[in-house]
């Protein structure tokens, strides 16, 4: 998708939305096939995500999206270590 993004942003967004929608469809299909309809009335009262869980997950979601947009925040700090590891690996294999 990176190659498509360089050529056409709209095509990359369309492709990414297709990946997301297919994951939603696959997970919904899996849930319906494996668990079927909810027959226990006590289970129907359980919500998917409450406010406390959303408050916990919001920083994780924001951080994940931010690192997806700006990966240099982490990669700049790890570049020296990765370079040392690859240099040692190349020396060990003779490449």
């Amino acid at each position: 998708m990176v190659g498509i993004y360089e050529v056409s942003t709209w095509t990359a967004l369309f492709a990414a939305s297709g990946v997301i929608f297919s994951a939603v469809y696959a997970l919904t299909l899996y849930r319906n096939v494996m668990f079927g309809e909810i027959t226990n009335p006590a289970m129907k009262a359980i919500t998917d995500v409450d406010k406390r869980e959303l408050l916990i997950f919001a920083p994780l979601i924001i951080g994940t999206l931010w690192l997806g947009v700006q990966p240099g925040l982490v990669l700049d700090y790890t570049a020296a270590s990765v370079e040392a590891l690859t240099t040692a690996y190349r020396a060990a294999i003779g490449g």
Side-chain angles (χ1 to χ4, degrees):
M1 282 196 216
V2 173
I4 292 175
Y5 184 77
E6 292 174 357
V7 176
S8 172
T9 304
W10 291 109
T11 304
L13 290 174
F14 181 72
S17 65
V19 170
I20 292 168
F21 287 136
S22 65
V24 169
Y25 174 75
L27 291 172
T28 304
L29 179 67
Y30 175 79
R31 184 189 64 203
N32 289 338
V33 168
M34 297 311 257
F35 301 112
E37 287 293 319
I38 298 174
T39 56
N40 186 352
M43 297 301 285
K44 289 186 179 183
I46 297 175
T47 59
D48 285 337
V49 178
D50 62 3
K51 290 180 183 179
R52 180 182 62 90
E53 293 168 337
L54 189 60
L55 185 66
I56 292 169
F57 280 118
L60 297 173
I61 294 168
I62 291 169
T64 302
L65 292 174
W66 186 255
L67 285 176
V69 173
Q70 292 277 336
L73 295 172
V74 173
L75 296 178
D76 291 343
Y77 289 111
T78 61
S81 300
V82 172
E83 184 63 35
L85 286 172
T86 56
T87 302
Y89 179 75
R90 285 187 191 125
I93 63 169

